Amino acid sequence: METPPPFIREGEGLASHVRFRVGGPADFFCVAHDLDMLQEAVTFAKNKHIPSFILGEGSNLVVQDGGIRGIVIRLGKGFKEIRIEGEKLYAGCAAKLPRVCHHAARKGLQGLEGLVGIPGTVGGAVIMNAGAGESAACNALESLTVLEKGGGVRKLGREDFLFSYRKFQWVDGTPLHERILLEACWRLQPASSALLTETIKKALALRKKTQPIAAASAGCVFKNPGSQTSAGRLIDEAGLKGMSIGDAVISQQHANFIVNKGNACARDILALMAQVEKTILHTHGISLEREVCVVGETDCK
Ligand code: EPU
């Protein structure tokens, strides 16, 4: 049997690694601080014939109560660098998106300021094309450096990926989990740093006013069903704010947020989501599509 390298832990609880604070253990878990460690973890998974799952900040995830089979890999220190070359901004995929947005604004580069309130890593934001208002992570994205399944590092350009509202895909059809994002490069526009900083201040203030940003949650649970229709508004209109199952509750501040008051488990959150879906189908005739990713197993091993 393959013995894991020392930096790979067994049976790591995942609740402390995700913002919803729910979820069972990963069979194996590691933080890969550089490319060598990452390749070692990937090779371990390959030799052991187990799946691997790349975890960012877990800010858009429901990890189910049975945890994740296989290995969960987080990118660490060596993947957090941010650098600027002319109008291009490069960020390691473990860098926090808000940090990247602040950095761009300070350097007088426009294009990322609208994303400043989105919690999560660069990698997570790209792979889900995270967004707020008109801004989306992939809009100004120029290229991505990736680790291929075969072990090679490659740079892929805009012609290699497609994106739309909260969706990212590779043109050649490679499944998302088969290419690990290492670094993103955005092409930005020069602008006044003072103005960008002001835009950021306003965006953060608005988010604080309208969303439960300090609570344990995964942000908006459902996609907006159309560009003019907010899922939050529909859920609010249906009178569901405050509805709860266990410690999972629909936020009073923004109805598209489910908040973990403390001891919710994934089952509570999923049951509440199903209840919302059923109600909105009944009241508005609309099938809400989930924005959060649900991963892992319902039951323990
Ligand atoms: N509204 C309500 N009740 C609510 C929530 C919203 O009536 O409980 C109304 C608001 O008053 C407003 C309209 O619905 O008139 C739109 O609300 P908001 O500006 O909050 O935007 P949203 O469409 O609900 C989207 C994104 C958010 C992003 C905000 C701000 C989705 C699913 N949600 O929300 O993204 O932060 O715009 O840009 O696209 C996320 O992706 O996790 C997320 C939170």
Side-chain angles (χ1 to χ4, degrees), residues 185-222:
C185 169
W186 284 277
R187 181 178 284 278
L188 304 172
Q189 306 291 327
S192 146
S193 175
L195 279 181
L196 294 172
T197 307
E198 194 50 36
T199 306
I200 280 186
K201 230 168 105 182
K202 283 192 189 140
L204 291 177
L206 182 65
R207 193 170 269 258
K208 197 168 167 195
K209 201 170 128 199
T210 56
Q211 299 180 359
I213 52 171
S217 86
C220 284
V221 173
F222 299 101

Side-chain angles (χ1 to χ4, degrees), residues 17-135:
H17 293 282
V18 300
R19 285 185 159 245
F20 239 143
R21 298 278 175 255
V22 297
D27 291 345
F28 297 95
F29 175 89
C30 71
V31 181
H33 289 297
D34 56 34
L35 188 59
D36 287 345
M37 287 174 87
L38 179 59
Q39 281 171 325
E40 210 178 326
V42 169
T43 304
F44 168 73
K46 209 179 288 174
N47 292 344
K48 223 174 153 49
H49 305 289
I50 56 171
S52 47
F53 178 81
I54 305 294
L55 178 66
E57 294 236 331
S59 53
N60 201 33
L61 278 190
V62 179
V63 177
Q64 298 204 81
D65 302 313
I68 296 182
R69 301 292 74 81
I71 182 166
V72 171
I73 304 172
R74 283 188 81 157
L75 302 185
K77 286 198 284 288
F79 297 98
K80 292 186 179 178
E81 196 203 341
I82 305 171
R83 62 181 205 285
I84 287 173
E85 288 174 15
E87 289 167 14
K88 291 187 192 175
L89 183 146
Y90 293 84
C93 282
K96 293 187 183 191
L97 189 61
R99 208 182 118 230
V100 175
C101 301
H102 280 290
H103 190 84
R106 269 198 307 273
K107 298 289 180 183
L109 288 172
Q110 182 176 28
L112 295 175
E113 59 287 349
L115 305 174
V116 70
I118 299 176
T121 59
V122 164
V126 167
I127 216 83
M128 292 172 190
N129 193 21
E134 297 297 298
S135 313

Side-chain angles (χ1 to χ4, degrees), residues 131-133 165-166 207 211 219-220 222 224 230 232-233 236 241 254-257 291:
Y165 173 65
R166 301 296 192 272
R207 193 170 269 258
Q211 299 180 359
C220 284
F222 299 101
N224 286 342
S230 154
R233 187 200 291 264
D236 190 355
K241 276 184 170 175
H254 195 298
N256 200 6
F257 280 64
E291 200 221 280

